[in-house]
Amino acid sequence: QVQVLESGGGLVVPGGSLRLSCTTIGLPIVGYAMGWLRQVPGQGGAGVSCVSQSGPRTYYDDSVKGRFTISRDDAKNTVSLQMDNLKPEDTDMYYCAYASCGPSRPVAQSLFNYWGQGTQVTVSS
């Protein structure tokens, strides 16, 4: 059984930072592109960022370019999303997924129906 485990969300004031982390059980991330998606009510997940399977290519939605940084460590089976200069409009539930990456919106689309519980990011003063 494949499990996706996200962590690192929380409440932060505008301009603050968070670091989201993701690990998996049952299917290592090696060999897969990995992405972060945010929940769009009624519309499924919207791709925020994506990293290619070997790591050199990263993709970002225009709304987060210059503020978010995605990275992966295959040896540790983890994917991270460093979120800086957070804005209230970044508030959402964030999910990690095995993904296909693209240069334009959506920059990440889930490959499989493997979803974790997500991690809530709330940006508010």
Side-chain angles (χ1 to χ4, degrees):
Q1 183 177 359
V2 177
Q3 297 180 54
V4 180
L5 305 171
E6 302 98 342
S7 62
L11 172 64
V12 64
V13 298
S17 297
L18 287 171
R19 186 175 180 85
L20 307 186
S21 294
C22 167
T23 190
T24 66
I25 298 172
L27 182 62
I29 66 171
V30 64
Y32 294 97
M34 297 296 296
W36 286 93
L37 294 83
R38 60 186 296 177
Q39 184 66 46
V40 178
Q43 299 182 35
V48 174
S49 183
C50 200
V51 58
S52 64
Q53 65 180 42
S54 52
R57 294 194 189 93
T58 56
Y59 304 84
Y60 299 94
D61 187 82
D62 286 346
S63 64
V64 306
K65 278 181 182 176
R67 301 188 296 120
F68 291 9
T69 305
I70 191 171
S71 60
R72 64 186 295 158
D73 186 334
D74 287 355
K76 295 182 178 179
N77 200 46
T78 59
V79 182
S80 299
L81 185 68
Q82 178 66 40
M83 311 169 81
D84 297 319
N85 191 20
L86 281 159
K87 302 177 180 180
E89 52 263 42
D90 296 321
T91 295
D92 217 328
M93 188 73 81
Y94 286 74
Y95 297 87
C96 174
Y98 302 89
S100 62
C101 300
S104 58
R105 181 175 290 182
V107 298
Q109 290 183 287
S110 177
L111 282 177
F112 310 125
N113 194 28
Y114 299 142
W115 296 103
Q117 294 297 311
T119 187
Q120 176 69 38
V121 172
T122 303
V123 185
S124 175
S125 56

